[in-house]
Amino acid sequence: MAQFMNGIKRTNYCGEVTKANVNQTVVLTGWVAKVRNLGGLMFIWLRDRTGRIQLFFNEDTDKELFELAANVKNEYVVAVEGIVCARNEADVNKDMKTGEIEVKVTKLVVLNEAKLPPFHIEDKANISDVNRLKYRYLDLRRPSMQNIILMRHKIAKIARDYYDENGFIEVETPILTKSTPEGARDYLVPSRVHPSKFYALPQSPQIFKQLLMVAGFDRYMQIAKCFRDEDLRADRQPEFTQIDLEMSFVDIDDVITINEGFMARVFKEVLGVELKTPFLRMSYADAMTKYGSDKPDIRFGYELIDLADTLTNCGFKVFSDALANGGAVKAVCFPAGHYSRKEIDKLGEFVKTHGGSGLAWIVVGENNEIRTSLGKVLTPDEISAVVAKCEAKPGDLICIVSGKTNVVYTVLGALRCELANKLGLIPENEFAFLWITEFPQFEYSEEENRYVAVHHPFTSPMEQDIDRIESDPGSVRAKAYDIVLNGYELGGGSIRIHDSELQGRMFKALGLSDEDVSERFGFLIEAFKYGTPPHGGMAYGLDRLCMLMAGATNIRDTIAFPKVQNASCLMSGAPDFVDDIQVKDLHISINKEDVKVEE
């Protein structure tokens, strides 16, 4: 192998060479993406993070150089020197940024050879998720993955620039902190110097950013690493990144306005998309009533239809009992009358996976004839009344779900999106933002037999609802808000409680004793006694924002080295066993009987 670089130094990135460089000598470095040897003519595609460029060797090439190039294989790391040439018009490759030019190589240095990779390093390759994550460093060489990671870098840079220009100060908050159980499970870190005590990795910088407001920094931001030990899905990871914010002397409108400005800025600079502000605002109650979701996708209509007035006195006890017990009977109506009985049955199974007990349906035929699962339990007049209420047209499918109101919302909210997706009713390349406001302050936990905070214990209630904190906590609305994009929660926040008396009432409503409060949040409560400004803030999921802007379907694609569903890393093997001496130093013991060694 030749010595490193052999005295030559890169002058250009591959993807940055254009017709303006014709007849210039350039030095390029990168990975060999493809080799085509046609005998007396040979082409090599060279790839780096900016793109690909075509190199060529012909009958004029030095024989020794030609032979060296003939032995180059995919993924070899090379440096080349050559002259930029314009391609003939017939040979222009419009699929490449550098498709108008190519480089006639005059010097080639093989910097490192590579063994045959486990998959082709190209976007069209059919690669299993297991291989992508096991050989993540190879997966990251693929242009689509590099583009996403570069987009993420740009989003983060714009965030820092934008918030700096608007008076925000970036402050790092601790990674090793105190466990304050009131949310997802914490990741715990045992302390060597404090036996039997543990640090917690932060689920968010919430408490510390509020303390920064007490400290007088007025406007804080941080691109913060956060950790939650929870079940994973397409848009969750055990470690994730937030664009985290807090502001003093503000109310809801101030927080929303500054963050709409950020969204407009980042979409314009990254995607060239002009967002119309202000974004739509919708109360939590309206979102649930219309869409069955607190993060509705509003790129399409097909809202939920309430059938309570139509079916209250019907003879079908499943419907009438649900309504009599304070539940709901609701429907969605879609142009899916062509669905076969088998396809409708699959929708019934989908309903069950989301907690529903079953699906009732009505199909309106092209000539207004009716097919339905309710023929034996509803009268023709009742069925006609449902069709009229849904304003169903020939070719429509009405899907009806009944039961507890929250279950009906969950099921139909999911079914609405499932049908819209299957029927191709969701517009592409459209970004539909909205703010969801007036979330419930509390929700009742059957498991804990008490009210818990929907957001967190420091969220301020709406002023007009404060008097009901003790008497009717379930009706209290919070000064909380989420920003939603295309059916995904991008971020959320709230105006915080800054009054000690009101904070005490909140803790009591949550069933927390003075001892509980002191143990969990004592240092924050103490800080609030020294002059706390009104304040509020929010946090965005950077991974999720990048996923939606890149058109990806899983946040794993936006994270350089992600975990799989069981929170393990296929590449490094984390988590793993450690030496006994390390465990002993931490003053903890492991029950060997509980350890399942993977074969």
Side-chain angles (χ1 to χ4, degrees):
M1 188 183 297
Q3 291 184 348
F4 176 68
M5 298 296 281
N6 208 20
I8 61 176
K9 187 175 182 180
R10 179 174 61 190
T11 60
N12 301 79
Y13 281 102
C14 294
E16 295 175 351
V17 182
T18 68
K19 288 184 72 174
N21 301 107
V22 168
N23 295 326
Q24 293 180 8
T25 297
V26 295
V27 177
L28 308 171
T29 59
W31 287 260
V32 173
K34 187 176 181 179
V35 179
R36 291 173 58 213
N37 193 334
L38 305 178
L41 178 64
M42 181 165 48
F43 297 98
I44 291 178
W45 278 3
L46 189 65
R47 177 189 67 237
D48 64 15
R49 77 183 198 197
T50 63
R52 299 172 302 177
I53 191 168
Q54 182 166 284
L55 316 176
F56 76 93
F57 307 77
N58 60 15
E59 65 277 1
D60 298 331
T61 302
D62 176 80
K63 182 179 179 181
E64 186 177 343
L65 175 59
F66 197 99
E67 289 177 355
L68 176 61
N71 289 311
V72 165
K73 294 181 174 60
N74 285 5
E75 302 313 313
Y76 276 27
V77 184
V78 302
V80 298
E81 183 176 271
I83 301 170
V84 180
C85 304
R87 293 198 197 190
N88 296 326
E89 189 171 342
D91 296 327
V92 169
N93 186 340
K94 295 181 179 179
D95 294 329
M96 294 174 65
K97 287 193 299 182
T98 58
E100 293 183 301
I101 54 91
E102 56 190 350
V103 175
K104 183 177 181 179
V105 178
T106 56
K107 192 172 187 177
L108 167 67
V109 180
V110 176
L111 300 172
N112 214 326
E113 297 178 356
K115 70 177 187 178
L116 182 69
F119 51 80
H120 292 297
I121 313 297
E122 58 185 26
D123 288 338
K124 294 180 180 179
N126 185 15
I127 315 168
S128 71
D129 286 344
V130 169
N131 268 346
R132 287 187 62 196
L133 295 171
K134 183 177 180 180
Y135 301 97
R136 187 62 163 185
Y137 41 85
L138 298 179
D139 185 45
L140 287 171
R141 283 187 197 170
R142 297 190 303 124
S144 60
M145 289 300 297
Q146 295 213 333
N147 288 339
I148 290 174
I149 298 301
L150 291 169
M151 174 185 284
R152 181 188 174 105
H153 158 75
K154 190 169 184 179
I155 292 169
K157 181 181 184 303
I158 293 168
R160 285 191 165 97
D161 290 345
Y162 174 81
Y163 288 110
D164 173 68
E165 292 164 13
N166 283 277
F168 287 76
I169 301 163
E170 184 165 8
V171 183
E172 290 185 356
T173 53
I175 293 296
L176 296 176
T177 182
K178 178 183 173 68
S179 178
T180 55
E182 194 70 28
R185 294 187 197 91
D186 286 326
Y187 276 103
L188 301 176
V189 180
S191 170
R192 178 182 60 83
V193 295
H194 300 283
S196 301
K197 293 186 178 181
F198 292 80
Y199 299 102
L201 303 183
Q203 295 187 31
S204 80
Q206 182 62 47
I207 290 177
F208 290 100
K209 67 182 183 179
Q210 290 191 249
L211 288 171
L212 287 169
M213 298 302 101
V214 177
F217 283 97
D218 188 66
R219 290 190 170 195
Y220 140 95
M221 75 83 59
Q222 181 184 189
I223 298 181
K225 204 73 170 175
C226 304
F227 308 84
R228 292 181 187 173
D229 185 3
E230 58 186 353
D231 295 332
L232 306 189
R233 59 190 187 199
D235 58 343
R236 280 184 181 170
Q237 281 280 297
E239 50 181 314
F240 57 97
T241 306
Q242 289 184 176
I243 302 174
D244 200 51
L245 314 166
E246 198 76 8
M247 307 165 65
S248 292
F249 307 107
V250 294
D251 211 329
I252 293 175
D253 287 346
D254 303 296
V255 179
I256 285 180
T257 298
I258 198 75
N259 286 291
E260 286 181 346
F262 168 63
M263 280 295 153
R265 171 89 162 259
V266 76
F267 271 76
K268 176 68 179 299
E269 293 191 16
V270 175
L271 297 181
V273 172
E274 296 272 4
L275 298 181
K276 183 179 179 182
T277 59
F279 300 154
L280 174 69
R281 296 191 199 182
M282 185 182 299
S283 72
Y284 170 87
D286 283 348
M288 297 303 292
T289 300
K290 292 179 179 180
Y291 302 103
S293 172
D294 60 0
K295 47 182 181 295
D297 190 339
I298 57 171
R299 289 176 294 173
F300 58 97
Y302 305 99
E303 297 177 5
L304 275 56
I305 302 159
D306 192 348
L307 299 178
D309 293 343
T310 308
L311 296 173
T312 296
N313 298 314
C314 75
F316 187 34
K317 289 183 67 63
V318 171
F319 289 166
S320 58
D321 285 356
L323 294 169
N325 293 325
V329 181
K330 290 180 177 284
V332 290
C333 180
F334 275 85
H338 64 280
Y339 263 37
S340 67
R341 178 59 187 269
K342 184 177 180 180
E343 289 173 313
I344 295 174
D345 287 343
K346 286 183 179 179
L347 294 179
E349 293 303 314
F350 177 86
V351 161
K352 291 178 182 178
T353 64
H354 284 79
S357 57
L359 177 69
W361 54 271
I362 300 171
V363 173
V364 182
E366 294 299 330
N367 297 311
N368 285 312
E369 70 276 13
I370 298 296
R371 287 190 295 126
T372 179
S373 63
L374 298 169
K376 295 181 179 180
V377 294
L378 293 183
T379 67
D381 286 346
E382 288 170 337
I383 292 171
S384 296
V386 171
V387 172
K389 178 72 174 181
C390 294
E391 300 181 0
K393 302 179 293 297
D396 282 355
L397 167 66
I398 302 170
C399 296
I400 306 169
V401 175
S402 61
K404 292 183 178 179
T405 301
N406 62 330
V407 174
V408 171
Y409 282 150
T410 298
V411 170
L412 285 181
L415 184 61
R416 170 182 175 269
C417 293
E418 176 76 2
L419 279 166
N421 185 52
K422 285 185 176 295
L423 296 170
L425 299 174
I426 304 177
E428 295 182 1
N429 302 316
E430 182 176 317
F431 298 100
F433 283 89
L434 79 157
W435 292 94
I436 302 298
T437 61
E438 300 178 33
F439 279 83
Q441 183 83 14
F442 306 96
E443 62 183 353
Y444 193 79
S445 169
E446 300 287 349
E447 183 180 344
E448 299 184 43
N449 195 32
R450 68 177 179 95
Y451 279 99
V452 296
V454 171
H455 198 58
H456 56 63
F458 312 107
T459 300
S460 179
M462 303 280 287
E463 282 86 355
Q464 54 267 51
D465 295 349
I466 289 176
D467 290 343
R468 297 198 301 276
I469 289 176
E470 292 84 5
S471 61
D472 188 12
S475 70
V476 177
R477 296 165 299 160
K479 282 191 171 184
Y481 35 83
D482 280 356
I483 186 168
V484 175
L485 172 58
N486 294 356
Y488 288 88
E489 176 198 334
L490 267 190
S494 66
I495 301 301
R496 325 302 186 186
I497 297 172
H498 67 281
D499 176 79
S500 297
E501 180 184 354
L502 180 57
Q503 185 66 71
R505 291 173 64 186
M506 168 65 89
F507 285 139
K508 287 181 180 178
L510 293 170
L512 299 177
S513 66
D514 291 343
E515 292 76 16
D516 290 333
V517 172
S518 178
E519 184 174 338
R520 296 182 185 187
F521 313 111
F523 64 101
L524 180 65
I525 301 305
E526 177 68 15
F528 281 179
K529 296 176 182 178
Y530 293 93
T532 304
H535 60 285
M538 66 177 297
Y540 297 101
L542 175 58
D543 318 294
R544 197 174 295 177
L545 174 60
C546 185
M547 179 186 79
L548 293 171
M549 294 183 71
T553 57
N554 193 310
I555 64 168
R556 285 199 311 233
D557 287 341
T558 74
I559 299 171
F561 300 103
K563 306 292 192 295
V564 295
Q565 193 164 3
N566 65 1
S568 66
C569 174
L570 297 184
M571 183 188 68
S572 67
D576 203 354
F577 298 106
V578 297
D579 294 337
D580 289 343
I581 187 64
Q582 291 177 274
V583 175
K584 184 179 179 181
D585 285 346
L586 294 171
H587 313 284
I588 61 177
S589 61
I590 296 174
N591 186 345
K592 300 292 186 180
E593 294 180 358
D594 292 339
V595 176
K596 296 180 180 179
V597 180
E598 298 181 4
E599 297 293 337

